[in-house]
Structure formats: C-alpha cells, structure tokens
Amino acid sequence: MTGIVPQKNYVPSHLKEFGFYHSGWEEDDIPEVAKFSTFVDVWYFDKALMETARRHGLKIWVALAPIFFKDFGKNKQEDYREHWEKAKQELIPFKDIIYAFDPLDEPFQRSLLPDKELKAYLEEIGELIRQDFPSAKLAITFTHNTVNQARFQLIVPENFNLFGVDYYYEVDFQDKIVKKLMRKTQHMDAKYYLIPRGFKTTNKDYGVLSETELLLRARQAYNFAVSNSKVEVIFPFHWKGFVENSKNYVGVENIPLLRSEYEKIGRAISRDR
C-alpha cells in the first residue's frame, strides 16, 4: 500500500481511534486537534480539559498515575484506595466520553516493584476501575525492553485489554516489536495501539531523524494499522513539545509536513466514527 489512505478513502472498521500524546494538556490545543482526532489524553484531575474535550466531540484517554503510584511511578501509593474513591466521583460525570484508562506509562520500566507484584497490583487496579467504568478500555504502554523479556507472558495483567509498545529508534516504524507484542498476547481478548515516533529532539540517544524519515514512519504505521485487524488506535508520540533534562523535544504541532500527514490520517480515521 503506497498511499496515505486506501483507494476511495476507505478505512477498515477495526481502526477506530486517532489522537496524540500530550494533545489534551492545554486547553488551546484541544479545538485544534479536534479537527482530525477522536480523543485527547488528559490527567484524571483536569476536569476543565475534559469539559473542553466534550464540547468538541472528543473522547478522553485518562492518565491515573498519581492515584496509584508515587515517586514518579517507582513505588506503590499507600492510600491508593482513598485516592481512587475521590477521583472516581470526579470522573463519573465523564463516563460517557472516557475511552481508556492508563494507570502508569511504561509500568514495568518505571516501577521498582518486582514484576509479579506489579502485575498483581495492576490487576487489582483494573478490578477497581471495572466496577464503575466497565466499558472503558484498560491500557498499558510497554517498552520494547519489557516485551522482549522471555517471561513477558507471565507478567502481563490479565484484565487489561488495550496494549501498545514504544520504540523510537531507527528510521523504520517498529513493526517487528509490535508483532512480537501481538504474538505474546494472542491468548488475550485485547486490541492494540500504535505509537509512531512524531518528534524531533536534541537528545541524540534517540537518533536524529529528518522530517522525511518521520513522515515515512507515519505512513508505515498507518499501513500496518490498516492491515492488522486487532489494531484499534494510532497514538503518535507526541503533539506538544517539551524540554526534559535540558534536551528539547519538538512535537508534531511544530513539524509542518508531518503535521499535514497526520491530519490526513486522522481525518480518514475519525470520519464517521
């Protein structure tokens, strides 16, 4: 498949959602991405941003980390049940637009809990969420290092149902590691999201990719999603630029050709969804 969208602009029904990491962090961004997205990601405490998303017809992907983890995800939050009970009451009014909950980004990379203990904790979190939000997806983003573990199948939380893996190195889209994730979780009733790299950075550890190379990754990710029936979401990292450890990260918002490409992809996916 060589084009951005298939012949006659047809997108298969399994590819339902499109949005960017960091797309719902500032109110001004939401109406902009609403033109070619189905959801934005927000923190659980940002009710004003959730209201803005609703006004623009968007779903929300809700990050929950501070409720259940402390020390930037390293350790378990002692009073997590009390935190969740309070947050839950604030989230219930948005039940109709919550697409997914994400308890902690890259949990097996960030947390200091032993893998089996972390798995059990995530499954407990999943049960707590399911009690009040039974239709919302339970999402986990793994790193490629986690997926490559020989014992990966033993640590995947069994009650989660939406999985992604990030790999931002090299020129081509990470289809091999995505296929490995899908193969290792094929016993589960799960769907998948793709996380194509959508940033430039001065952090040379990630490698310097040109706009043309990032464009290629976007096209490869789209074509992979179209041809794999269990892929439900394209979730590029990332929309909004930021600075971390004195390194600059420029997002899709400020990479014109790449932004135009994702606008085409997003509009094709979001139309009639």
Side-chain angles (χ1 to χ4, degrees), residues 77-122:
Q77 190 73 264
E78 291 93 346
D79 51 353
Y80 63 91
R81 286 184 175 271
E82 290 81 359
H83 279 279
W84 172 244
E85 283 299 317
K86 182 179 179 181
K88 179 181 73 177
Q89 298 306 319
E90 300 290 325
L91 287 166
I92 283 175
F94 299 97
K95 193 173 185 176
D96 59 313
I97 63 168
I98 294 173
Y99 170 62
F101 285 106
D102 184 354
L104 178 65
D105 188 36
E106 301 175 342
F108 292 92
Q109 186 80 3
R110 296 179 187 275
S111 178
L112 296 179
L113 296 175
D115 284 350
K116 286 187 176 180
E117 186 178 335
L118 179 56
K119 173 189 176 180
Y121 185 40
L122 288 169

Side-chain angles (χ1 to χ4, degrees), residues 20 34 90 134 141 145 153 163 173 177 181 183 204-205 220 237:
F20 296 92
E90 300 290 325
T141 298
N145 294 327
Q153 287 166 298
F163 299 133
F173 173 69
I177 193 65
L181 170 64
R183 184 171 65 251
K204 294 183 180 178
D205 290 343
Q220 290 172 334
F237 185 81

Side-chain angles (χ1 to χ4, degrees), residues 22-34 40-42 46-56 58 239-240 253:
H22 301 175
S23 57
W25 289 20
E26 294 183 18
E27 191 166 4
D28 290 347
D29 289 323
I30 294 176
E32 191 64 30
V33 298
V40 291
D41 71 317
V42 297
D46 278 332
K47 291 197 299 181
L49 296 179
M50 295 179 199
E51 291 285 8
T52 302
R54 171 179 274 149
R55 286 198 304 273
H56 287 86
L58 294 171
W239 173 254
K240 199 76 179 171
E253 179 187 28

Side-chain angles (χ1 to χ4, degrees), residues 45-182:
F45 49 77
D46 278 332
K47 291 197 299 181
L49 296 179
M50 295 179 199
E51 291 285 8
T52 302
R54 171 179 274 149
R55 286 198 304 273
H56 287 86
L58 294 171
K59 302 174 188 177
I60 53 176
W61 180 299
V62 185
L64 302 173
I67 295 174
F68 298 105
F69 295 89
K70 62 181 181 179
D71 306 322
F72 300 99
K74 292 183 175 64
N75 297 296
K76 187 174 179 178
Q77 190 73 264
E78 291 93 346
D79 51 353
Y80 63 91
R81 286 184 175 271
E82 290 81 359
H83 279 279
W84 172 244
E85 283 299 317
K86 182 179 179 181
K88 179 181 73 177
Q89 298 306 319
E90 300 290 325
L91 287 166
I92 283 175
F94 299 97
K95 193 173 185 176
D96 59 313
I97 63 168
I98 294 173
Y99 170 62
F101 285 106
D102 184 354
L104 178 65
D105 188 36
E106 301 175 342
F108 292 92
Q109 186 80 3
R110 296 179 187 275
S111 178
L112 296 179
L113 296 175
D115 284 350
K116 286 187 176 180
E117 186 178 335
L118 179 56
K119 173 189 176 180
Y121 185 40
L122 288 169
E123 288 178 340
E124 181 186 356
I125 292 169
E127 288 301 314
L128 288 174
I129 294 171
R130 284 255 179 269
Q131 290 174 19
D132 295 281
F133 303 92
S135 62
K137 298 281 188 181
L138 295 175
I140 294 183
T141 298
F142 301 102
T143 65
H144 66 284
N145 294 327
T146 302
V147 174
N148 279 326
Q149 288 187 42
R151 61 196 296 272
F152 176 72
Q153 287 166 298
L154 300 177
I155 65 174
V156 178
E158 293 293 328
N159 55 357
F160 278 66
N161 57 3
L162 188 62
F163 299 133
V165 55
D166 54 35
Y167 186 78
Y168 303 127
Y169 310 92
E170 303 174 5
V171 175
D172 291 333
F173 173 69
Q174 61 270 30
D175 62 300
K176 290 180 181 178
I177 193 65
V178 174
K179 287 176 182 176
K180 184 176 287 189
L181 170 64
M182 296 172 77

